[in-house]
Amino acid sequence: MRKSISFGSVDTIGLDVGDKYTNFCEVRDSEPREQGRFPTGVDELKKFFAKRTSCRVVIEIGKHSPWMSDVLKELPFESLFVNPAKF
């Protein structure tokens, strides 16, 4: 049996990062709760997470990974960068 970890109202936020926009999906209890997008950028990423409680963040490895990692290290979130080629 898989152990469930709760981080408040949202367990995990998945980010699909593009050059212009970042799409997100918030998941709770294995069900999508909210989806949307915001412009890709440092200030926009900080603003997006400023409104959220701590949770797990899953991001695909890409050219934006280094600066996103730096920003997320400053915030109280567990961030995981994944390589989809490994799955």
Side-chain angles (χ1 to χ4, degrees):
M1 180 183 289
R2 189 179 81 122
K3 182 179 178 184
S4 177
I5 300 172
S6 180
F7 293 92
S9 62
V10 175
D11 290 328
T12 304
I13 299 176
L15 299 180
D16 180 14
V17 183
D19 288 334
K20 292 185 180 186
Y21 291 97
T22 297
N23 294 291
F24 71 88
C25 181
E26 296 181 348
V27 177
R28 171 100 174 136
D29 299 324
S30 302
E31 295 291 328
R33 300 294 183 193
E34 183 180 348
Q35 297 179 17
R37 72 178 189 169
F38 57 89
T40 299
V42 173
D43 292 336
E44 291 81 1
L45 185 68
K46 287 180 180 179
K47 189 184 302 182
F48 175 79
F49 282 108
K51 299 180 280 184
R52 286 158 174 80
T53 59
S54 294
C55 66
R56 179 183 309 112
V57 181
V58 180
I59 307 167
E60 179 180 353
I61 291 175
K63 70 180 187 178
H64 298 286
S65 299
W67 68 262
M68 287 191 140
S69 175
D70 292 342
V71 170
L72 290 169
K73 284 179 186 172
E74 299 173 8
L75 305 172
F77 296 90
E78 173 192 5
S79 56
L80 303 169
F81 289 82
V82 297
N83 183 350
K86 299 283 183 177
F87 294 95

